[in-house]
Amino acid sequence: MGETKISNEQAGSKKAFRIYNIPWPLYIAMLGIVLACIYANVVPFALPAALAILLVLSAILGEVGDRIPIWNEYIGGGAILAFLVGGLIYTYEWMPKQTIDLVIHFFDEFGYLDLFVSVLITGSVLAINRKLLLKALTGYFPAIIGGIIMASIFGVAIGLIFGKSPVEILTLYMLPIMGGGTGAGAIPMSEIYASATGETAEKFLSFALPILTIANILCIFTASVLNKIGNVKQEWTGNGELLKGNTELDVDRQEQKVELKLGDVGAGLALACTFYMLGTLFSKFLLPSILGVKIHTYAYMIVFVALSNVFNVIPSNMKQGAKRLQSFFGSNLLWLQMLAVGMALTDFNEMLTALTIPNVIIAGFIVVGAFVGSALVGYLVGFYPIEAGISAGLCMANRGGSGDIAVLGASKRMALISYAQISSRLGGALILVLASIMFGIFLG
């Protein structure tokens, strides 16, 4: 996809409109085969079938979305079109259930999201200048806290206009939106709610999940607008770099000395998968929680990849391979990822149940507050405000791991995935601690 985009900017010739550099007659034949299998309901329940469906369908959606005027500049282009079409396919069953189930299985049970995130975490962290990495991480938690505080202030302020109490805004709107998603956020939060109030967990989830879905959509569109703002206000953005001064990466300097080989990319893949296993070992067995707070596999992954970078224990050729693999996943497979997120996790009916004007406005103010708070604090600690606001703010207010991918895809800043995971996982854990305190004080 990255190569296609580059060619599209060259002279605007008819030749430039190609999908994965596949000749049009051949692509149309491939699309026809995939659609024939889908609607004849003979799609095998196998990994190659899932990849064929997602690669072939997302390619045309991505290319078309990147060329629709206004949409491509302000809404998010091909990535958002793939996401929305995927959600419509899931919600209204535009494809046979067997095909939709295959994509869900591919995304969840096959663990493609885990592979995608692991590759992006490993490549992006190893690409950060190791002398600046520690500074970035120490300044990042204040940016997260700034986002939480400002989201609360914005939410309470607009809530008062609609006649809602600060307690209602903080407990039923702010906490689930900023809680790190569904599985690691809203669901355990519902158990905390049930324990503190004596009500059922389902009562909390019946409201929290639709509000979280609305906020997730708003985060994605906000990220797309911020990308456009960054193109105009270059001094506000590092174009994917969080920390000011990290314009020259260690890996970039090493690439002048080491010739990248195909085996290095394979080594980068092995490295990413091994770091994922190391994170799993700690999160599931050795140290699953710290002070009662459950630590996610991705959080451990980030710590170990960062330490390996700081102490320079990874050979430069493997760093190069991991970075090249991350670049491939973050560009060429982004449309696939966005279509899969839509088909596997996005139910528009769920969103419509809470789609009232007050709820949308309140969720919108919380999302904007999260961005503003993180951007301001980020700027004060030496971060680019757009990158800080997107990763520490919007990636706190979205729907966890899949929301991070959608937000970073819309903003064209996939290199921020490691910071986004810190927001979703460690920031989400902080919100659960706050929820246990606030539910006990205000609702108990």
Side-chain angles (χ1 to χ4, degrees), residues 59-314:
I60 188 65
L61 293 171
E63 288 288 355
V64 170
D66 274 355
R67 286 167 173 76
I68 300 175
I70 300 177
W71 180 278
N72 60 355
E73 292 289 337
Y74 298 97
I75 307 301
I80 298 302
L81 183 62
F83 168 75
L84 292 177
V85 171
L88 292 171
I89 290 172
Y90 175 84
T91 303
Y92 300 109
E93 296 185 355
W94 288 357
M95 291 182 180
K97 187 175 185 300
Q98 179 177 332
T99 299
I100 296 174
D101 287 345
L102 171 62
V103 172
I104 295 172
H105 198 81
F106 165 80
F107 194 76
D108 190 7
E109 299 299 326
F110 287 172
Y112 175 74
L113 178 61
D114 289 327
L115 175 63
F116 190 89
V117 173
S118 297
V119 166
L120 265 61
I121 286 175
T122 303
S124 60
V125 172
L126 291 179
I128 299 173
N129 186 304
R130 56 195 178 91
K131 295 179 181 178
L132 298 174
L133 180 60
L134 186 59
K135 180 181 177 182
L137 292 177
T138 54
Y140 195 70
F141 286 101
I144 290 177
I145 294 172
I148 295 172
I149 292 173
M150 200 62 73
S152 301
I153 293 173
F154 275 44
V156 168
I158 193 65
L160 291 174
I161 295 176
F162 288 105
K164 296 184 181 295
S165 70
V167 169
E168 183 179 1
I169 293 295
L170 292 176
T171 56
L172 296 181
Y173 289 84
M174 188 279 290
L175 286 176
I177 288 175
M178 301 295 287
T182 303
I187 291 176
M189 194 179 296
S190 69
E191 297 298 329
I192 297 172
Y193 172 88
S195 176
T197 65
E199 303 282 354
T200 64
E202 288 74 17
K203 179 179 179 181
F204 178 82
L205 286 175
S206 66
F207 184 81
L209 289 181
I211 287 296
L212 178 55
T213 302
I214 291 171
N216 188 57
I217 298 292
L218 293 173
C219 283
I220 295 168
F221 286 111
T222 302
S224 178
V225 173
L226 288 169
N227 177 58
K228 185 63 178 176
I229 293 174
N231 292 337
V232 177
K233 292 287 188 179
Q234 286 290 321
E235 66 273 18
W236 293 357
T237 179
N239 295 309
E241 289 295 332
L242 176 69
L243 190 62
K244 294 179 180 179
N246 190 32
T247 56
E248 185 180 10
L249 303 179
D250 284 347
V251 173
D252 292 335
R253 289 195 293 269
Q254 292 160 353
E255 284 178 354
Q256 300 172 5
K257 302 177 182 179
V258 181
E259 180 182 355
L260 183 67
K261 298 178 181 178
L262 190 60
D264 297 327
V265 178
L269 178 60
L271 191 64
C273 294
T274 303
F275 273 122
Y276 174 76
M277 294 298 287
L278 180 60
T280 301
L281 183 64
F282 272 80
S283 67
K284 302 296 185 184
F285 179 65
L286 295 178
L287 195 60
S289 63
I290 298 176
L291 298 178
V293 178
K294 184 175 175 60
I295 306 300
H296 195 275
T297 297
Y298 294 157
Y300 275 121
M301 264 197 76
I302 293 166
V303 170
F304 290 123
V305 178
L307 288 175
S308 72
N309 191 359
V310 169
F311 292 104
N312 202 27
V313 299
I314 305 297

Side-chain angles (χ1 to χ4, degrees), residues 10-50:
Q10 297 172 352
S13 65
K14 289 184 179 179
K15 264 187 168 181
F17 194 80
R18 292 165 68 91
I19 296 176
Y20 290 134
N21 284 326
I22 302 171
W24 272 104
L26 180 56
Y27 174 78
I28 292 172
M30 294 167 64
L31 180 62
I33 292 169
V34 168
L35 292 177
C37 287
I38 290 173
Y39 291 104
N41 206 20
V42 294
V43 173
F45 207 74
L47 181 59

Side-chain angles (χ1 to χ4, degrees), residues 285-365:
F285 179 65
L286 295 178
L287 195 60
S289 63
I290 298 176
L291 298 178
V293 178
K294 184 175 175 60
I295 306 300
H296 195 275
T297 297
Y298 294 157
Y300 275 121
M301 264 197 76
I302 293 166
V303 170
F304 290 123
V305 178
L307 288 175
S308 72
N309 191 359
V310 169
F311 292 104
N312 202 27
V313 299
I314 305 297
S316 59
N317 66 307
M318 293 182 68
K319 285 185 177 182
Q320 273 187 250
K323 184 174 182 290
R324 180 64 60 86
L325 189 67
Q326 177 237 335
S327 178
F328 173 76
F329 270 68
S331 57
N332 292 68
L333 298 184
L334 176 60
W335 292 340
L336 177 154
Q337 179 71 23
M338 296 294 280
L339 179 61
V341 169
M343 289 183 68
L345 297 173
T346 306
D347 188 343
F348 288 124
N349 284 333
E350 181 182 275
M351 183 179 69
L352 291 174
T353 62
L355 198 60
T356 65
I357 291 177
N359 283 349
V360 172
I361 294 175
I362 291 170
F365 267 72

